[in-house]
Amino acid sequence: MAEVTFGGSAEEVSLEEVGLRYEVDGKIATITLDRPEKRNAQTFATWSALARIGDSLPQQVRVVVIRGEGPSFSAGIDLRMFTPEGVPGQGSFAASALLDGATFEQRLARAQQGFLWLRRPDIVSVAAVQGHAIGAGFQLALACDLRVLADDAKLCMKEPALGLVPDLTGTKPLVDLVGLSRAIEICLTARTVGAEEAARIGLAELVVAPGELGQAVEDLTAALLAVDRDAATATKRLLQGASGRTLEEQCVAEGREQAVRLRALFT
Ligand code: CAA
């Protein structure tokens, strides 16, 4: 298994400093939130590092697993952001509030890049969630294609309770998965959704005992890798586009993808 590190430019900190581990083992990349003593709290540097990983993901990688070390997947944004001092070197919400609109949007867009690449059609991303996934933690799990939960998982969109909105790409996948009414109820009460409910309402593909989480993700990964890559990529692309197309448009899109597959397989 290759340990991958970033040399980084002056303004970029190492993955270790950010509290991330990143390992590539053939077709599988594993990203571990690795600040268990702070329940894997995230900062802007976390999201920037995730974006860098996405930018440089080796071409052979087909499955990306995101997991958290320790009892929690992630307790969300580092609460120091709410203090006047903020997170050293990364500012505070009070400082962000003073940014002009364009600068704020640019900074947020970079943070969101850390989440958006997980939807790329040529990979499948899997979140392995145990314990708390709060705020940015819940949104990171939502950024993945699939979620495997330990039965102690607790999902919470805490942002509205803190006077904020979820802005790390989580609102659309949440609505897509559970529907508008349930998404409103979950977010605007900021309540905790347990693993059993999460599976029932479409937020998890699988719920297992905490000790079986690693094996369950390995089994899922093996099944995903058993399918032809180009067919998987084309199928994911079709499925991702389905909700934005009419049935007739989707039929045309299916035909286009299949024509490419047939030529690749039989000519
Ligand atoms: N940021 C920074 N430190 C955190 C943290 C966070 N989000 N969550 C936990 N920690 C730290 C605690 O301060 C504590 O540190 P010390 O040992 O130095 O005191 C350590 O992690 C362990 O925490 P707990 O003792 O609280 O652990 P627990 O297992 O009893 O509880 C928890 C876990 C329920 C997740 C609880 O820590 C908690 O509620 N954390 C805060 C969750 C939160 O409100 N997150 C922000 C969500 S909003 C968001 O993410 C997006 C946004 O844009 C606002």
Side-chain angles (χ1 to χ4, degrees):
M1 187 177 290
E3 286 276 351
V4 184
T5 54
F6 288 100
S9 60
E11 69 277 6
E12 287 173 346
V13 287
S14 73
L15 290 180
E16 196 182 342
E17 282 174 86
V18 168
L20 285 180
R21 284 203 325 268
Y22 170 45
E23 289 146 353
V24 175
D25 184 8
K27 297 174 182 172
I28 306 165
T30 304
I31 300 169
T32 302
L33 303 165
D34 192 18
R35 208 153 67 102
E37 71 287 358
K38 296 294 177 191
R39 301 297 182 265
N40 300 323
Q42 303 172 35
T43 66
F44 185 83
T46 314
W47 308 323
S48 183
L50 286 173
R52 280 186 282 144
I53 290 173
D55 290 345
S56 62
L57 195 74
Q59 204 274 330
Q60 84 269 11
V61 170
R62 292 189 53 192
V63 176
V64 177
V65 176
I66 303 210
R67 57 183 296 279
E69 202 60 66
S72 299
F73 176 72
S74 171
I77 198 164
D78 193 312
L79 293 175
R80 288 176 299 172
M81 283 295 291
F82 289 89
T83 66
E85 304 76 34
V87 179
Q90 297 185 54
S92 63
F93 279 132
S96 296
L98 299 176
L99 294 174
D100 66 82
T103 308
F104 173 75
E105 278 172 30
Q106 202 179 20
R107 196 174 145 87
L108 179 60
R110 183 60 181 164
Q112 290 169 335
Q113 278 307 318
F115 294 65
L116 288 174
W117 66 271
L118 293 161
R119 295 284 181 200
R120 268 168 42 178
D122 59 322
I123 58 170
V124 181
S125 50
V126 180
V129 180
Q130 80 287 357
H132 290 97
I134 304 178
F138 188 12
Q139 295 194 69
L140 184 56
L142 284 167
C144 293
D145 295 313
L146 307 174
R147 280 151 295 282
V148 181
L149 267 49
D151 61 21
D152 68 347
K154 297 173 193 67
L155 314 176
C156 172
M157 202 64 95
K158 184 91 174 278
E159 288 83 344
L162 298 169
L164 298 169
V165 301
D167 65 352
L168 293 166
T169 79
T171 55
K172 182 163 172 55
L174 183 64
V175 171
D176 288 348
L177 290 168
V178 304
L180 178 60
S181 302
R182 181 61 72 196
I184 290 173
E185 183 264 326
I186 287 172
C187 293
L188 273 58
T189 62
R191 74 175 172 91
T192 296
V193 178
E196 181 275 322
E197 181 188 0
R200 185 160 38 81
I201 66 177
L203 285 173
E205 280 52 62
L206 195 62
V207 176
V208 298
E212 292 167 14
L213 188 58
Q215 189 59 52
V217 170
E218 271 183 40
D219 293 346
L220 175 60
T221 300
L224 291 165
L225 290 177
V227 170
D228 176 86
R229 180 175 204 169
D230 293 333
T233 302
T235 303
K236 182 173 166 184
R237 202 164 39 224
L238 267 178
L239 295 171
Q240 285 179 315
S243 64
R245 296 192 195 103
T246 64
L247 180 59
E248 292 71 22
E249 289 165 345
Q250 185 70 0
C251 289
V252 172
E254 287 175 0
R256 288 202 182 117
E257 293 284 10
Q258 195 70 308
V260 176
R261 298 305 317 131
L262 291 172
R263 276 196 296 275
L265 289 172
F266 299 106
T267 61

